Amino acid sequence: MSRIRVAAVCAATLSLALTATACGGGSPTGGGSNDSPKTLTYWASNQGASIAVDKKVLQPELDKFEKKTGIKVKLEVVPWSDLLNRILTATTSGQGPDVLNIGNTWSASLQASGALLPWDAKNFDKIGGKDRFVESAIGSAGATGKDPAAVPLYSMSYALYYNKKMFKDAGIAEPPKTWDEVVAAGKKISKGGKWGLAAEGSNLSNNIHQVFVLAKQHGADWFTADGKPDFTSDGAVAAVKQYVDLMAKDKIIAPGNAEYAQNQSLSDFSKNKTAMVLWQAAASTFKSQGMSEDDFGVVPAPVQSGAPGQGRNVNSMVAGINIAVFKNTKNLDGATKFVKFMTSDEESKLLNKTYGSIPPVKAAQDDPAFDAQATSVLKKTLGTSAAPLPQVADESQFETAVGTAVKELFADAAAGKPVTTESVKAALTKAQQSMPNK
Amino acid sequence: MTTTATSPAEAGEGRAVGKNSPGAAGGQGRRPGRIRRIGLPYLLLLPALVLELLVHLVPMVMGIVMSFRELTQFYIREWSTAPWAGFDNFKIAVDFDAPVGQAMLHSFLVTCLFTVASVGLCWVIGTAAAVFMQETFAGRGILRAIFLIPYALPVYAAVITWVFMFQHDNGLVNHVLHDQLGVTDKPSFWLIGDNSFYALLTVSVWKGWPFAFLIVMAGLQNIPKEMYEAAALDGAGLWQQLRRITLPSLRPVNQVLVLVLFLWTFNDFNTPYVMFGKAAPKAADLVSVHIYQSSFVTWNFGTGSAMSVLLLLFLLVVTGVYLVITSRGSRGRKTADV
C-alpha cells in the first residue's frame, strides 16, 4: 500500500467526516439597506396541497403588489422539511431572501440568532400598528419582553374533528367535550379494525403540540418563568402519560399510529378507519380526500373533566405562520411594504380563506367566511382558549428532546411494553438533561 | 512497505522515458524540457487543487475551529465571534456519565455493530454473486444488469420505497412475514423500536452489495483461467479453487473494497435520515444522523463539530491500522511466494 494511497484515503476520510458540520459558514455583513429597491425575494412556506398550488395562489397577489409598487417579487415556495435548514444556512451565510415565512413556534429561536428584523413600534407603525393583530398571535412572534421578530400571517388552532357516521354507528349522540368523554367514545368505537382517535406518534412537532396543551391543563409549563427547562414536574409527567396512555392503557389509538409522521392519520380519518382526530384546519384535506362537509363535525379540542380551573382550559397551542424580514435585506423599505401588503385586511381575508386558516388581523376576522362550521371553532379557540408555545430561544431543542421522548414512549406502547409514571419521568429527565446548560 | 520495493523500478522507468523524450534529445533543450516535464503536471493539477482546497480543506479547517467554539443559535449569524470553548465541546461529547456523552457512545456502538454487519454481508453476498456469475450461462448479461439496479437507483427513491414496505399496517414486509408465511405472531414494527436496526441493515445491504459485486467481478477478470484449469487437472474441487485461487488473488481488490465499504457505511447519512427522519429510533441511531441532530436540529454546532472531529480521528486510526495490517500481510505473502 503506497503512502500516496494512505494519504488519499486519509484525506477522503477527513472530508467525509468534517464537511457534514462545516458546510455553511462565513460571516454575514451588516444590516439591511435599500441598495436594490426594485426587487424582492420571498420564501413562502408550503401551505397548500402542493408547492404548485401555492405558486398558483400567491403569484396573482405578487403581481398585484408589483402593479401597486413597481417592486418585482421573486417567489420560492419551500417545503416544510427544508425550511428551517434553509433559514439556518441563510443566517450563517448572510445570503438569504428579503422576506420569508417562518413557523411561529420558531420565532424566539430565530430571534436569538439575530437574523430577523425586529418589529419595534416604528416598524409596526409602517404596517398599521401592532393593535391590528390578535394578541395570542403576537404572543407567538418572539420572546416575551422583546420586540417581535416577525408578524403573524396565518393563524390556526387545534379542534376535534369527528366522523359523524362512525359516531352514529357506535350509538354516540354527542361529540365529546372532555378527555373522559373522548376515551369513552373511543372505547365504543375501537373494535373490528376501527379506532377511536388518531395520533402522529413519530411527528415530533405534533407530539409537542399535544403534550404542551395537556400540560397546561394539568397546570404545568415546560419552562420556568426565567426560561429554564422544567420537563419533570408532576403536571408535565401526567400530561405525557395521559397522551401516551390513549394508546397504551385506553387502547383507543391504533398501535400503528406510533410510526405515523406524514399525516397518515388524516387519511385514516377520511377512510372511516379512525373516528376522531385532533388537528389544525383539516377540513380542506378531508374534502380533498373525498369527504363532504356533512361527513364530519368540528368541535373544540377536549379539556379535563370537572371544572378545569383558572388557566387550565387551554385546549390548543397558537399555531400559525409568521412573515419576517431578513435583516440582511437589500430592500428594507420594499420588504416592509410587502409585509404591509400581505397583512392588509384584504390580502389577509383572501389568503386565509384559501388556506382554511384564520386571519391574525382582527378586522379581517369579521368576514363571514370565518364563521363557517369548520372555521368558527378554530377562530373561537384562537381568541379564547389557545396559548402560544414557550417563546424561548431553546424552543427548537425542546421540540426535539421532548418530542423524541414522546415518540419513544409511543414506540414502547405500540410494542406492548409498559408505560408507567416512572418510565415517563425517566424519559423526560433524559430529555431535560440533553438541553443546553445555561 | 511496498513503496520501497517499487520505487527503484518506477525511477528506472522515469529515466527511460526521459532518455527517449524529444526534450531530452539535445543538450539545449534539456532544461526547458525538464521544467515543462516537472511543471506541467502541477499546472494541470492546479484547478483540482484549488477546488479541493475550497470544497474540502477550507470547510474542514472551519469545522475544526468550530469545535473549539461555543457555537449555538446566539452566534450562528456571526459565528466567528462565538466565544472560545477550549476543549469543553469535546468534554461534553465524551462525558459518558452525562446524557449527551451517553447518547453519543450509544450511537457510536450502534454504528460499529451496524457497519461490521453491513460490510460483512455486502462482501459475502457480492463475492458469492460475482463467483456465481463467472460461469457462462444464458441470461447472464440480464441477470448482471438486474444485480446492479440497487446501485444505480437514486438513494432517496429507493429508501422511500423500502419505508413503504416496512410500514406496520400496510407494508409488504409484514404482509409477507405475518399474513402469508405466518412467521410472526403479529405484525411487527420495523420503523420504530428495536427492529429498526434490522430494517436499516436490510436496506443498507440491499443498497451496498452490488458495489461489492461489481468490484469483485472486475477483480475476477484478472485471474488467469489457466490457474483454474491447472487446479482442476490436479483434482481441486470448486471449494478448493475458491479458497486457494480465487480469494488469495482477490486480496488486493478486497483490501480496497472493504475499506471503502467501511468508510461509506460508517458515514452513511442518507439511508438512516430518509428512513427515520431527524429523530432515529434508539436501536438505529447512527452516528452521522446523531451528529446532524446535534448540529442542525438542536443548534449545538460546537458540540456537533467536536463529535465530527472525534469521529474523524477514530476513522483515521482505524484506517491507518487497517492499512498497516493489510499491507504487512501482502508483503509477508509476497516474500513467502518468492
Side-chain angles (χ1 to χ4, degrees):
Chain A
M1 179 65 63
S2 73
R3 276 189 197 129
I4 291 169
R5 206 193 301 171
V6 177
V9 170
C10 292
T13 317
L14 255 152
S15 17
L16 276 170
L18 274 176
T19 38
T21 46
C23 53
S27 289
T29 46
S33 70
N34 283 307
D35 295 349
S36 169
K38 286 287 153 205
T39 53
L40 281 175
T41 311
Y42 173 42
W43 284 359
S45 51
N46 178 201
Q47 296 298 125
S50 69
I51 286 174
V53 168
D54 279 327
K55 283 186 181 164
K56 226 170 156 183
V57 170
L58 292 170
Q59 197 54 53
E61 306 314 305
L62 305 182
D63 294 343
K64 224 190 273 176
F65 177 72
E66 187 179 356
K67 220 170 161 189
K68 235 178 187 175
T69 60
I71 300 171
K72 185 166 177 55
V73 182
K74 280 185 266 175
L75 169 72
E76 190 181 345
V77 183
V78 185
W80 271 110
S81 50
D82 292 347
L83 189 56
L84 191 56
N85 272 354
R86 291 281 299 273
I87 299 173
L88 281 180
T89 314
T91 305
T92 5
S93 66
Q95 307 298 315
D98 301 289
V99 184
L100 69 160
N101 285 5
I102 61 170
N104 67 355
T105 62
W106 307 336
S107 297
S109 294
L110 291 172
Q111 185 178 37
S113 74
L116 306 178
L117 180 80
W119 285 84
D120 54 14
K122 208 177 89 204
N123 281 335
F124 258 121
D125 281 347
K126 290 182 195 163
I127 62 165
K130 203 176 183 176
D131 298 340
R132 291 182 61 238
F133 299 90
V134 176
E135 204 182 323
S136 60
I138 288 286
S140 62
T144 325
K146 285 188 181 168
D147 289 325
V151 179
L153 184 64
Y154 313 124
S155 287
M156 279 176 268
S157 65
Y158 274 85
L160 181 75
Y161 293 80
Y162 67 98
N163 183 312
K164 285 184 181 168
K165 187 178 179 298
M166 286 175 79
F167 264 57
K168 204 175 152 201
D169 291 349
I172 307 162
E174 288 283 311
K177 293 185 190 66
T178 65
W179 282 108
D180 285 345
E181 288 173 18
V182 167
V183 172
K187 282 184 174 167
K188 277 188 191 168
I189 296 164
S190 302
K191 53 187 79 145
K194 296 193 186 297
W195 292 89
L197 183 69
E200 294 270 324
S202 286
N203 181 330
L204 309 191
S205 302
N206 193 286
N207 285 343
I208 284 297
H209 298 166
Q210 309 295 350
V211 299
F212 163 75
V213 167
L214 281 165
K216 281 276 182 197
Q217 292 180 5
H218 284 279
D221 274 314
W222 290 94
F223 286 84
T224 58
D226 58 347
K228 291 208 167 75
D230 186 17
F231 300 168
T232 53
S233 68
D234 291 347
V237 173
V240 172
K241 182 154 192 302
Q242 184 182 359
Y243 187 48
V244 180
D245 267 350
L246 294 168
M247 180 190 284
K249 195 177 105 214
D250 305 321
K251 303 200 185 301
I252 64 166
I253 298 178
N257 284 205
E259 65 178 26
Y260 282 10
Q262 309 288 337
N263 303 354
Q264 294 98 319
S265 52
L266 297 187
S267 308
D268 284 358
F269 185 88
S270 307
K271 286 182 199 149
N272 301 325
K273 275 170 78 181
T274 314
M276 291 177 274
V277 61
L278 284 159
W279 209 264
Q280 336 165 6
S284 56
T285 309
F286 295 147
K287 280 185 236 165
S288 74
Q289 294 186 354
M291 287 187 113
S292 89
E293 204 154 319
D294 298 330
D295 292 338
F296 62 91
V298 191
V299 290
V303 290
Q304 305 294 332
S305 302
Q310 187 73 26
R312 293 190 177 201
N313 65 343
V314 170
N315 61 352
S316 174
M317 43 84 73
V318 177
I321 312 302
N322 295 341
I323 187 165
V325 173
F326 204 57
K327 222 184 208 168
N328 280 50
T329 176
K330 290 201 169 63
N331 189 0
L332 192 57
D333 290 345
T336 321
K337 273 183 202 160
F338 184 61
V339 173
K340 185 181 178 186
F341 171 78
M342 290 292 277
T343 56
S344 65
D345 294 358
E346 192 191 335
E347 289 302 312
S348 193
K349 275 181 209 172
L350 194 145
L351 291 171
N352 281 286
K353 259 185 229 173
T354 312
Y355 288 132
S357 50
I358 307 293
V361 175
K362 287 178 197 163
Q365 286 196 348
D366 297 338
D367 192 288
F370 304 109
D371 290 324
Q373 189 220 201
T375 44
S376 65
V377 172
L378 305 178
K379 186 171 109 179
K380 200 170 163 226
T381 303
L382 206 57
T384 57
S385 56
L389 278 179
Q391 290 291 314
V392 293
D394 294 337
E395 202 279 334
S396 180
Q397 289 93 324
F398 158 64
E399 280 200 23
T400 310
V402 175
T404 306
V406 176
K407 175 183 168 172
E408 282 171 8
L409 288 165
F410 264 127
D412 286 349
K417 289 183 193 165
V419 175
T420 61
T421 304
E422 289 70 38
S423 70
V424 171
K425 194 161 188 170
L428 291 176
T429 306
K430 222 176 89 189
Q432 176 158 330
Q433 286 170 341
S434 69
M435 292 291 282
N437 289 322
K438 285 248 181 69
Chain B
M1 301 244 310
T2 42
T3 319
T4 334
T6 50
S7 295
E10 279 168 10
E13 272 170 29
R15 273 197 299 276
V17 172
K19 263 179 198 166
N20 296 330
S21 66
Q28 280 184 333
R30 180 173 282 248
R31 187 162 283 274
R34 187 183 292 162
I35 288 168
R36 203 163 38 228
R37 225 174 39 239
I38 296 170
L40 190 64
Y42 290 103
L43 199 66
L44 293 173
L45 273 174
L46 199 63
L49 280 175
V50 170
L51 277 175
E52 179 67 18
L53 193 74
L54 287 177
V55 177
H56 284 139
L57 285 179
V58 171
M60 223 185 289
V61 171
M62 274 161 44
I64 293 171
V65 173
M66 281 181 189
S67 68
F68 290 100
R69 285 183 185 272
E70 195 186 293
L71 199 57
T72 59
Q73 67 264 43
F74 298 98
Y75 299 102
I76 51 165
R77 187 159 174 264
E78 299 269 2
W79 70 266
S80 54
T81 64
W84 279 101
F87 284 95
D88 283 0
N89 289 324
F90 292 90
K91 281 181 200 154
I92 292 170
V94 296
D95 181 2
F96 301 139
D97 292 328
V100 175
Q102 273 170 9
M104 178 66 187
L105 179 65
H106 169 84
S107 164
F108 173 75
L109 294 175
V110 166
T111 312
C112 287
L113 188 64
F114 170 76
T115 307
V116 169
S118 177
V119 172
L121 286 168
C122 283
W123 182 81
V124 169
I125 298 171
T127 305
V131 170
F132 169 69
M133 295 294 275
Q134 262 187 309
E135 300 294 323
T136 319
F137 55 87
R140 184 170 76 147
I142 296 167
L143 199 60
R144 193 153 53 187
I146 291 172
F147 280 1
L148 290 174
I149 286 175
Y151 186 58
L153 279 178
V155 177
Y156 188 88
V159 177
I160 278 286
T161 310
W162 274 104
V163 170
F164 289 143
M165 294 203 291
F166 275 124
Q167 275 176 3
H168 179 264
D169 291 342
N170 311 310
L172 184 76
V173 175
N174 275 345
H175 181 62
V176 171
L177 290 182
H178 177 68
D179 303 341
Q180 293 187 327
L181 300 177
V183 178
T184 52
D185 300 340
K186 53 180 184 177
S188 314
F189 282 96
W190 297 101
L191 299 172
I192 53 173
D194 297 343
N195 286 341
S196 52
F197 180 84
Y198 302 107
L200 183 63
L201 185 62
T202 306
V203 180
S204 175
V205 172
W206 175 84
K207 205 163 63 71
W209 79 264
F211 178 73
F213 165 68
L214 197 69
I215 297 299
V216 173
M217 205 164 58
L220 289 175
Q221 312 290 322
N222 289 332
I223 306 174
K225 290 234 167 358
E226 295 78 19
M227 283 174 79
Y228 289 105
E229 287 163 7
L233 278 177
D234 288 343
L238 280 179
W239 175 242
Q240 273 183 314
Q241 287 181 19
L242 181 74
R243 263 194 64 208
R244 305 275 178 191
I245 303 173
T246 312
L247 290 180
S249 308
L250 283 176
R251 197 183 158 95
V253 171
N254 279 331
Q255 200 172 313
V256 178
L257 173 66
V258 168
L259 184 62
V260 169
L261 279 179
F262 164 75
L263 289 175
W264 282 355
T265 313
F266 205 96
N267 278 316
D268 188 12
F269 176 80
N270 293 335
T271 317
Y273 188 77
V274 176
M275 276 186 87
F276 308 117
K278 60 185 179 183
K282 258 191 105 183
D285 186 21
L286 295 195
V287 90
S288 55
V289 180
H290 192 80
I291 291 176
Y292 167 81
Q293 201 190 44
S294 301
S295 302
F296 293 94
V297 182
T298 59
W299 301 18
N300 247 328
F301 294 91
T303 317
S305 301
M307 287 172 177
S308 277
V309 172
L310 290 172
L311 180 69
L312 158 77
L313 291 175
F314 168 77
L315 290 178
L316 280 178
V317 168
V318 172
T319 307
V321 170
Y322 174 84
L323 292 179
V324 168
I325 291 173
T326 47
S327 52
R328 258 192 207 147
S330 34
R331 190 176 54 180
R333 205 180 65 254
K334 263 183 201 158
T335 318
D337 289 347
V338 168

